[in-house]
Amino acid sequence: MKIAVPYENGQVFQHFGHTEQFKIYDVEDGKVTGERTADPAGSGHGALAGFLSGLGVDTLICGGIGAGAQEALAQAGIKLYGGVAGGADEAVRALLAGSLSYSAGVTCGHHEHHGEHGHCGEDKHGCAGNGGHCGG
């Protein structure tokens, strides 16, 4: 198993599509056997699933994530645990222990723009009309 977490200052970074770094955890027999960070080097919202898949990632723990990115992850065969906050290492330990609190229906929740059009993932480029803030 290989787990990725959008990562900033030891925490689960809350905007999947804007992450500048992932922490990658190699897991064998339910235990972390290796850790490293990986920089997507500007892969962009739509390419992040491909970037993670290329690293062999099969599981993603994240905070907010748009519908388009969720679909891309599903197509890449990456299992998603969204809506997670707090320490990245703690989240991975909780997942491995079967006690991770996550949201199966997570969406990108940082678009509280009154009167703006669209929600995350409504078009193939991300958040319609909202400047592409989500991982869609």
Side-chain angles (χ1 to χ4, degrees), residues 48-117:
L48 289 175
F51 170 77
L52 293 173
S53 182
L55 293 175
V57 169
D58 56 23
T59 304
L60 174 73
I61 298 172
C62 70
I65 183 168
Q70 290 181 43
E71 184 177 320
L73 290 167
Q75 289 176 355
I78 298 173
K79 185 167 173 97
L80 172 65
Y81 295 89
V84 177
D89 293 350
E90 292 81 3
V92 169
R93 283 194 294 271
L95 176 66
L96 296 176
S99 61
L100 180 67
S101 293
Y102 68 97
S103 171
V106 69
T107 59
C108 177
H110 63 281
H111 289 291
E112 302 305 322
H113 305 294
H114 299 289
E116 291 281 0
H117 16 74

Side-chain angles (χ1 to χ4, degrees), residues 11-65:
Q11 301 295 304
V12 177
F13 185 68
Q14 292 301 300
H15 303 295
F16 172 77
H18 285 193
T19 192
E20 295 181 9
Q21 192 172 63
F22 287 94
K23 188 162 183 183
I24 310 297
Y25 300 82
D26 296 309
V27 177
E28 291 181 28
D29 298 322
K31 297 190 187 315
V32 174
T33 58
E35 302 175 9
R36 70 183 190 285
T37 57
D39 180 356
S43 292
H45 298 87
L48 289 175
F51 170 77
L52 293 173
S53 182
L55 293 175
V57 169
D58 56 23
T59 304
L60 174 73
I61 298 172
C62 70
I65 183 168

